[in-house]
């Protein structure tokens, strides 16, 4: 195979509930994640020199062994036991970096899926999911994408039973200079809310069941109006990060917005609309204020797939 293209979509959190703390130090979560049609592109070419080389047009993105693409490639090589496998990987970065949109995780998931095909490793879908979980909590979701409930650290997946991706329009904004460290956000959450964390598995399961049977999934299926979204990290990040406060206030001015929320640990923010045309109209309406405050903005659709070849 001469070269392979893989797309790596961004995700937003439509629900992020921190249930408690796990014995491994991570947080036990109940989330709904959704992929968008905003995606990075990976171009993979095989080499036989055993080297993994990554290049990207964004000079502020590390391309060394700390990048999840390189980690994914090294893990695949180690698992298949062929150290001579190499690849030259070009990353076309379109998802904002450090944004709570799983851009890095999605790139890593796309590398697992793409290199598995390029190198003919033959790992099964289940094996790729297991490797993804080893590399990052959000990474297994990014393999299949769509609309999924994510439990555990985020790696226990239950696809939502929807006939089609939600027909919502998404207006996504991020301040280019803002970033939030995920470990910091979870650490603050623990400091502020740790006393109220649940600890029994039966209590965790009750919350999972409430999400499975709750109004959010019915709303995403178009069967009822959307109620306000829940993101427990937003309550922690919003008071401390000015661009999150300002951006949420801006999005709330969009007349037709159904809901407004932060994604993941931030600082990306989004508003959902009944259809993509309403999201475009809101972007046009808010453009002067968004520009004045220095926000970048994207209008997106919800999609039904994760890392995709071709
Ligand atoms: O798994 P990942 O590398 O994406 O996690 C980054 C950090 O976010 C972890 O080191 C941890 O501090 C925090 N985290 C957490 N609970 C989770 C997921 C992430 O505390 N379920």
């Amino acid at each position: 195979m001469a070269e392979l293209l893989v797309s790596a979509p961004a995700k937003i959190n439509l629900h992020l509930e921190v249930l408690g703390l796990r014995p491994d130090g991570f947080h036990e979560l109940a989330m709904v994640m959704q992929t968008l049609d905003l995606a990075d592109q990976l171009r993979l070419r095989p080499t036989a020199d055993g080297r993994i080389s990554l290049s990207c047009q964004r000079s502020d993105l590390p391309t060394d062994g700390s990048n999840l693409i390189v980690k994914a490639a090294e893990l695949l090589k180690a698992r298949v036991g062929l150290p001579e496998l190499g690849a030259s990987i070009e990353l076309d970065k379109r998802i904002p970096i450090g944004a709570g949109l799983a851009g890095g995780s999605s790139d890593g998931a796309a590398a697992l899926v793409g290199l598995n095909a390029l190198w003919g490793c033959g790992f099964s879908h289940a094996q790729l999911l297991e490797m993804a979980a080893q590399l990052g909590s959000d990474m297994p979701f990014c393999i299949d994408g769509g609309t999924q409930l994510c439990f555990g650290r985020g790696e226990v997946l239950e696809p939502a039973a929807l006939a089609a991706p939600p027909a919502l329009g998404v207006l996504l904004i991020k301040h280019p200079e803002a970033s939030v460290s995920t470990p910091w956000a979870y650490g603050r959450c623990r400091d502020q809310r740790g006393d109220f964390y649940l600890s029994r598995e039966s209590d965790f399961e009750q919350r999972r069941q409430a999400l499975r049977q709750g109004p959010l999934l019915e709303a995403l299926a178009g069967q009822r109006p959307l109620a306000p979204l829940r993101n427990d990290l937003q309550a922690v990040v919003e008071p401390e990060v000015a661009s999150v406060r300002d951006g949420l206030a801006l999005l709330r001015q969009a007349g037709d917005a159904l809901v407004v929320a932060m994604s993941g640990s931030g600082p990306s923010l989004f508003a959902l609309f009944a259809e993509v045309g309403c999201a475009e109209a809101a972007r046009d309406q808010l453009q002067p204020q968004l520009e004045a405050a220095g926000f970048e903005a994207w209008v997106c659709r919800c999609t039904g797939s994760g890392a995709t070849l071709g």
Side-chain angles (χ1 to χ4, degrees), residues 9-302:
K11 63 85 185 158
I12 51 174
N13 293 79
L14 299 176
H15 184 91
L16 193 166
E17 189 177 344
V18 174
L19 302 182
L21 206 56
R22 300 154 50 96
D24 62 9
F26 280 75
H27 283 82
E28 183 72 27
L29 304 175
M31 304 190 283
V32 177
M33 303 225 266
Q34 173 66 57
T35 41
L36 301 179
D37 63 355
L38 170 66
D40 292 342
Q41 287 281 348
L42 278 72
R43 183 182 295 270
L44 313 174
R45 292 190 192 91
T47 63
D49 58 3
R51 290 183 48 215
I52 306 297
S53 65
L54 173 64
S55 61
C56 178
Q57 83 276 27
R58 288 280 304 258
S59 56
D60 52 338
L61 189 84
T63 50
D64 60 7
S66 67
N67 190 297
L68 282 167
I69 294 174
V70 178
K71 287 187 181 177
E74 296 294 355
L75 180 60
L76 267 184
K77 274 176 61 168
R79 286 288 182 92
V80 83
L82 292 173
E84 67 273 23
L85 288 175
S88 147
I89 306 173
E90 270 172 49
L91 170 63
D92 180 4
K93 193 80 200 153
R94 300 175 194 172
I95 305 172
I97 299 168
L101 299 171
S105 298
S106 193
D107 293 344
L112 281 178
V113 171
L115 292 172
N116 188 44
L118 189 82
W119 288 336
C121 302
F123 287 115
S124 67
H125 180 250
Q127 286 172 309
L128 293 179
L129 284 175
E130 181 266 312
M131 283 185 249
Q134 194 178 318
L135 294 168
S137 306
D138 283 348
M139 212 195 268
F141 166 79
C142 296
I143 300 264
D144 291 325
T147 314
Q148 299 199 52
L149 294 96
C150 310
F151 300 124
R153 291 191 283 130
E155 88 289 15
V156 179
L157 305 175
E158 291 182 17
L162 302 179
L168 299 162
V170 184
L171 173 59
L172 185 66
I173 67 168
K174 178 184 178 283
H175 198 286
E177 276 143 41
S179 76
V180 173
S181 145
T182 304
W184 171 83
Y186 278 106
R188 292 293 285 174
C189 185
R190 185 180 174 177
D191 292 345
Q192 291 176 11
R193 306 170 37 126
D195 290 348
F196 304 101
Y197 280 179
L198 303 174
S199 54
R200 291 201 311 244
E201 171 54 29
S202 57
D203 291 331
F204 293 161
E205 187 52 28
Q206 204 175 29
R207 296 305 309 151
R208 291 181 199 123
Q209 202 53 18
L211 188 58
R212 289 183 188 110
Q213 297 177 343
L216 175 60
L217 292 186
E218 285 179 25
L220 295 176
Q223 290 161 356
R224 60 186 294 156
L226 265 176
L229 304 184
R230 174 169 179 177
N231 179 345
D232 289 347
L233 296 180
Q234 183 178 328
V236 172
V237 172
E238 189 175 349
E240 306 220 20
V241 180
S243 86
V244 168
R245 277 197 307 279
D246 297 347
L248 288 167
L250 252 171
L251 288 177
R252 287 185 186 118
Q253 290 176 30
D256 287 343
L258 303 172
V259 292
V260 167
M262 188 178 85
S263 182
S265 57
S268 290
L269 309 165
F270 63 89
L272 300 181
F273 297 85
E275 55 186 37
V276 82
C278 299
E280 280 163 354
R283 180 189 52 193
D284 295 346
Q285 177 212 333
L286 296 177
Q287 193 60 42
Q289 293 106 299
L290 289 169
E291 234 173 76
F295 282 96
E296 291 181 310
W298 298 261
V299 170
C300 305
R301 290 171 205 273
C302 300

